[in-house]
């Protein structure tokens, strides 16, 4: 038998657990084990019962705008094949460097050693 009250679960979560439990029982799993597995599955998928407070954290409009702007800049840099600003090229693997070089279409990249790739990637595009 699963532990704890199920009062904080939504009706949808309860139906889902019941359906999963029936499925396990049809496969021959004992009722108590099936119920425990069903609730474990519901918890894994939805994070448990309803949360107090409802809609989560409040983020100011300015913070949201700044986050979107920096996210857009990172996305553009990624498409150009530039490493993230917080990622050091020396710490990257050769295959990661090769991927960045491929995105930037650097000629001769397949014959370059790691240090040569780093040097080529540091040059402006």
């Amino acid at each position: 038998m699963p532990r704890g009250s199920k009062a904080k679960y939504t009706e949808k979560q309860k139906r889902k657990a019941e359906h999963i439990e029936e499925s396990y029982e049809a496969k021959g799993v004992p009722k108590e084990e099936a119920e425990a597995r069903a609730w474990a599955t519901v918890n894994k998928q939805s994070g448990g019962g309803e949360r107090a407070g409802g809609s989560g954290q409040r983020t100011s409009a300015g913070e949201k705008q700044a986050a979107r702007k920096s996210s857009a800049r990172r996305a553009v840099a990624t498409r150009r094949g530039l490493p993230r600003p917080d990622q050091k090229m020396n710490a990257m693997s050769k295959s990661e460097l090769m991927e960045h070089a491929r995105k930037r279409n650097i000629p001769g990249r397949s014959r370059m050693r790691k240090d040569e790739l780093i040097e080529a990637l540091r040059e402006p595009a």
Side-chain angles (χ1 to χ4, degrees):
M1 181 82 174
R3 295 186 321 209
S5 169
K6 304 298 178 227
K8 290 215 173 202
Y9 286 88
T10 64
E11 290 305 312
K12 182 179 179 181
Q13 289 171 318
K14 291 174 184 177
R15 283 192 312 273
K16 183 185 256 187
E18 187 177 328
H19 178 73
I20 294 168
E21 181 181 345
E22 289 170 2
S23 172
Y24 276 124
E25 287 176 6
K27 293 178 184 176
V29 176
K31 181 164 179 47
E32 287 186 6
E33 177 69 18
E35 189 177 1
R37 286 186 188 183
W39 283 108
T41 303
V42 169
N43 287 336
K44 176 122 178 153
Q45 290 176 348
S46 62
E50 292 177 317
R51 300 283 186 243
S55 62
Q57 290 182 339
R58 301 279 185 228
T59 306
S60 72
E63 289 174 340
K64 285 182 185 177
Q65 185 177 8
R68 280 194 298 269
K69 193 172 186 179
S70 69
S71 175
R73 284 186 180 144
R74 286 192 312 272
V76 168
T78 299
R79 274 187 243 119
R80 288 184 186 151
L82 302 172
R84 293 186 310 271
D86 61 335
Q87 187 178 25
K88 304 243 186 285
M89 283 197 262
N90 290 338
M92 296 169 74
S93 68
K94 185 177 178 187
S95 60
E96 289 173 314
L97 293 168
M98 285 291 284
E99 182 66 21
H100 287 295
R102 185 189 62 76
K103 286 180 182 175
R104 289 202 22 209
N105 202 21
I106 295 175
R109 63 186 175 269
S110 62
R111 293 184 303 273
M112 290 183 182
R113 294 188 314 267
K114 183 176 177 177
D115 58 331
E116 292 171 325
L117 283 168
I118 291 170
E119 192 174 319
L121 286 167
R122 284 197 173 130
E123 293 177 8

